[in-house]
Amino acid sequence: MKSPVVSVTMPCYNCAETVGTAVESILNQSFEDFELVAVDDGSTDSTASVLKGYAEKDSRIRPVFIEHRGVVGAANAALSASSGRFVARMDADDYSLPDRLACQVDFLNKNPEIGLTACLVNFGGDRKKNFGYACYVDWINTLVTHEEISLHRFVEFPFANPSIMMRRELLDKYGAFREGDFPEDYELVLRFLESGVRMEKVRKELFVWNDPPGRLSRNHPKYSVDSFYRIKSEYLYRWLESGNALHPEVIVLGSSRLDRKRASILENYGVNIKAYVDINPDKIGKVVSGKPVISLEDIPKPGKCFLLSYVATRGARDKVASFLNGKGYAMGRDYLLVA
């Protein structure tokens, strides 16, 4: 049997109420040379029956039934069962707009240097109720080029995971999702970027990213903020080894207890925090965690220091970048935003 161009891989667990809409969104794609490998991860509701019903009507729907392994086990089972040249992710509670696959396949065909793509996404939740998540969606939609994605990778996961499409050879070369106490989708992208994989998004809104109360990223400890900082710090340290001309020395913007807690993870790898920077006059001149707190005016000139901004209050990230850029510091050469 001829392999399809695209394998859409979709882990499913107790999602009988939403999986039909997700499947229909793939069946309604303008690009038709695909298979949908939907792995039922030992669901205890009627998810399996829903998938079987669709498979009986369309041979492109290929359900796989496994004992409960969790999202990583189900996602990797879907990858193992797939055969397409391109592999697309999909979640059972989201919605792909009709031209998603067509646009992403066309983009990868026209840009052979790009290994992984995604698209702009529409936030499908309640913006007022879940304002923080909506702001995150707005932020990832600003990251389109490889340079933007690469430079901001240590702030947060720069994609809506179920909007991703990649070349199969990346999985063969660098491996699939890894199991651990970290967000597996973020770790995979960090690993691919570290390996030199180029990534860029299609500049179209092709996906609706819903935000149900039961979304795994809201409830599972492996997707907690602390888990994100642990895995990002591991990759950030390795980036600093080659990207920081003054390695292992850095100066940290932000001196709150939380800023210091998150930055201290890097110290476990051998990074030397020379000082903390704060704008609060009551903190400037003091010593915290054994390091001096200095003002913005006391930061060494570009080329004389490398800065990591852990300032995470809403709106502060852009202000920090604007200030540093105005003083001649360049992101990726003199500083990184990491919160």
Side-chain angles (χ1 to χ4, degrees):
M1 181 181 296
K2 177 179 175 290
S3 295
V5 172
V6 178
S7 291
V8 181
T9 59
M10 185 170 70
C12 305
Y13 180 67
N14 286 352
C15 53
E17 294 184 0
T18 63
V19 68
T21 301
V23 171
E24 291 282 358
S25 78
I26 299 302
L27 290 176
N28 291 332
Q29 291 294 302
S30 58
F31 184 88
E32 298 181 345
D33 192 359
F34 68 83
E35 64 177 354
L36 173 59
V37 182
V39 173
D40 177 50
D41 187 29
S43 295
T44 57
D45 65 358
S46 59
T47 296
S49 297
V50 174
L51 294 177
K52 289 176 181 176
Y54 277 104
E56 290 173 357
K57 299 175 183 177
D58 195 314
S59 61
R60 294 174 300 176
I61 308 302
R62 296 184 51 228
V64 176
F65 304 98
I66 62 174
E67 294 183 358
H68 186 60
R69 301 180 191 172
V71 65
V72 175
N76 284 339
L79 292 175
S80 297
S82 68
S83 60
R85 178 160 51 96
F86 301 129
V87 178
R89 278 286 287 109
M90 182 66 190
D91 278 348
D93 50 12
D94 294 317
Y95 189 87
S96 289
L97 296 179
D99 289 331
R100 177 202 168 181
L101 297 185
C103 289
Q104 290 183 324
V105 167
D106 182 64
F107 185 79
L108 289 175
N109 281 334
K110 290 180 177 178
N111 298 277
E113 76 283 3
I114 301 299
L116 182 150
T117 190
C119 59
L120 306 186
V121 301
N122 178 273
F123 178 64
D126 185 327
R127 277 189 166 267
K128 291 184 178 179
K129 185 176 180 181
N130 299 312
F131 181 69
Y133 209 98
C135 288
Y136 168 61
V137 172
D138 293 341
W139 174 72
I140 64 173
N141 279 340
T142 68
L143 308 178
V144 176
T145 68
H146 174 75
E147 289 69 26
E148 291 166 341
I149 292 166
S150 181
L151 285 174
H152 291 84
R153 75 181 99 166
F154 299 116
V155 174
E156 176 59 286
F157 185 44
F159 296 98
N161 181 44
S163 74
I164 283 174
M165 181 184 287
M166 70 186 83
R167 300 181 190 276
R168 176 171 297 279
E169 56 260 34
L170 298 184
L171 298 166
D172 297 335
K173 187 172 183 180
Y174 303 116
F177 296 107
R178 291 178 179 171
E179 190 71 73
D181 61 345
F182 49 77
E184 77 290 337
D185 47 4
Y186 189 28
E187 191 280 332
L188 180 135
V189 164
L190 289 174
R191 181 168 18 114
F192 283 10
L193 285 168
E194 183 178 76
S195 301
V197 176
R198 293 189 65 81
M199 306 180 182
E200 189 164 328
K201 295 176 186 175
V202 176
R203 292 166 171 78
K204 293 181 180 180
E205 193 174 277
L206 301 169
F207 192 82
V208 179
W209 203 16
N210 291 318
D211 186 31
R215 180 180 285 279
L216 202 61
S217 59
R218 286 189 169 278
N219 301 290
H220 198 287
K222 70 186 291 180
Y223 302 105
S224 69
V225 174
D226 286 345
S227 296
F228 271 90
Y229 272 93
R230 282 196 301 271
I231 194 62
K232 82 161 68 172
S233 295
E234 176 185 335
Y235 282 90
L236 174 57
Y237 171 73
R238 290 202 291 270
W239 185 97
L240 290 169
E241 283 186 298
S242 58
N244 174 13
L246 302 172
H247 183 74
E249 296 182 357
V250 300
I251 292 176
V252 170
L253 277 69
S255 70
S256 72
R257 183 176 300 176
L258 189 57
D259 297 334
R260 302 196 312 271
K261 174 187 174 184
R262 291 170 175 171
S264 69
I265 302 174
L266 288 175
E267 291 185 298
N268 297 331
Y269 290 100
V271 170
N272 178 16
I273 299 174
K274 298 291 290 182
Y276 293 100
V277 180
D278 210 294
I279 60 174
N280 186 340
D282 294 333
K283 293 183 177 182
I284 295 169
K286 294 185 177 181
V287 175
V288 294
S289 300
K291 315 292 183 183
V293 179
I294 63 176
S295 68
L296 288 171
E297 290 71 27
D298 292 328
I299 298 174
K301 294 181 179 180
K304 301 296 183 181
C305 65
F306 193 91
L307 307 168
L308 295 176
S309 176
Y310 279 85
V311 181
T313 52
R314 194 175 307 283
R317 188 189 306 136
D318 291 339
K319 291 180 180 179
V320 168
S322 179
F323 172 82
L324 293 177
N325 293 340
K327 293 293 184 179
Y329 301 88
M331 188 184 299
R333 184 193 68 194
D334 303 303
Y335 77 93
L336 282 178
L337 305 174
V338 295

